[in-house]
Amino acid sequence: MPSREQRRWQHFEAARKTRAVRKHIKRNRKPKRVRRKEWMPDDFDALDELAERERVMPLGERERRQAVMAAALAGPDSTRSEDTGTLPEEEAGQQQGVVTEVSSSLCRVDLDGRCVICGLRGSLSARETGFTNVVAVGDRVRVTHNGADRGVVEAVLPRQSVLVRQDPFYSHLQQVIVANADQLLIVASWKDPLIWFELVDRYLIAAERNGLFPVICVNKIDLAEDLEECRVALRPYLDLAYRVLFTSAMEGQGVDELRNVLRGHTTVVAGLSGVGKSSLLTSVQPDLQLRTGKISDTHREGRHVTSQVTLLRLDGGGFVADTPGIREFGLSGLRRSELASFYREFAALDGQCRFADCTHTHEPGCAVGEEVTRGLVSATRYHSYGKIRAELAD
Ligand code: GDP
Ligand code: ZN
């Protein structure tokens, strides 16, 4: 049974998609402007949405990218499955697991809680996928193993989702950072450092662009005068049906609820340094091997298994992604005209502004501006919209 929040979220999503389709139809009636491709160097481009749908591309490029996307979601095994029209049958002696860590040639696979270090079967190739890595953290794989701690990845199963970023060395290629994540835990602290709502909004946008269910976690509530103060500040998000947790890793409030939220999901944890991400995860499960200090693990041949992201298995089921190397989620590739659709309360006012191409920043007769004056749309959210918008390309 989906929870009440999930149902409301699905409702919002459905409404947003309908509006997007309507807009698309409207836009296509207008003569097309030719846009130059622009790259946006910003602090938020570490993780990016794969499809840069609206860009003008060389002839055939869009089709190529669609094929790449399909291949990425299908995993490197897709060529084999296309031959037969079905997924490859599980073969004798193979066991399914989840990749929790990767290096260039090895990966660590979790087989129902047991850890096996695996090499990759030579026939697995990232060629044609548009990605630099064959196997990513979070991939569901089938392995053969020697009954002890060594094995071989025989197949990568189709991916449900991918978080990607541009390869630092080959800019035309993408790296899959995490596969199959379904939730984003946005951690902020009430104080020390002071909660930064603009960053919360950025993460909410990133979550929606990447198809992750967002959960806002306000930590260090022990530093607030009273909980009511926190609730009032978060009211705009609660009113928009976002899931909000109030926690104190120090005193334990909200930790049980957080544990429930994480259970059974693959959650990416995001937030500024110092907000208490590690402390929270340790409160949820004291024996989690967070990577503070421990990055690699030497095995028999003396090689290392290292990766930017590690998946940590939760006792109750599910994983959290420990991602110290990733600063922020990317907003790059996001167009100005798309931004309002990620603000649920703005999207709800679609079509009510005096001008059809209202940017909701300064225009007379702007329905969003009017609701801000009336106090129905949060001034803080309106402000973050203006700031983020100013950074984006047309
Ligand atoms: P991270 O960088 O996000 O992983 O943050 P840490 O977990 O390392 O925590 C940063 C600092 O905040 C540490 O000194 C923690 O002791 C402290 N801290 C974490 N959670 C809480 C909390 O709920 N309340 C208070 N008062 N301090 C906390
Ligand atoms: Zn407007």
Side-chain angles (χ1 to χ4, degrees), residues 219-220 222-223 247-250 272-280:
N219 189 38
K220 307 199 189 183
D222 54 287
L223 300 179
T247 60
S248 166
M250 186 118 109
L272 286 179
S273 157
V275 295
K277 297 181 295 298
S278 326
S279 309
L280 277 171

Side-chain angles (χ1 to χ4, degrees), residues 143-197:
V143 302
T144 44
H145 62 98
N146 63 3
D149 59 349
R150 297 304 307 271
V152 175
V153 172
E154 304 287 350
V156 180
L157 301 185
R159 294 171 180 141
Q160 306 300 308
S161 72
V162 281
L163 287 182
V164 299
R165 71 166 181 184
Q166 208 157 309
D167 189 281
F169 302 110
Y170 306 98
S171 61
H172 62 295
L173 292 177
Q174 310 254 11
Q175 264 181 343
V176 180
I177 308 281
V178 186
N180 302 320
D182 62 351
Q183 197 162 247
L184 179 68
L185 185 72
I186 302 166
V187 185
S189 52
W190 179 249
K191 271 187 195 160
D192 300 336
L194 193 66
I195 186 163
W196 181 18
F197 288 106

Side-chain angles (χ1 to χ4, degrees), residues 349 352-355 357-369:
L349 296 167
Q352 296 182 34
C353 299
R354 186 182 304 163
F355 304 110
D357 58 353
C358 186
T359 66
H360 318 307
T361 52
H362 61 276
E363 294 87 345
C366 169
V368 176

Side-chain angles (χ1 to χ4, degrees), residues 22-36:
R22 262 198 267 129
K23 264 196 186 145
H24 182 76
I25 293 169
K26 220 157 89 186
R27 196 168 41 224
N28 280 357
R29 281 201 217 108
K30 293 181 195 162
K32 284 220 168 62
R33 273 192 302 135
V34 176
R35 302 190 191 105
R36 285 233 321 278

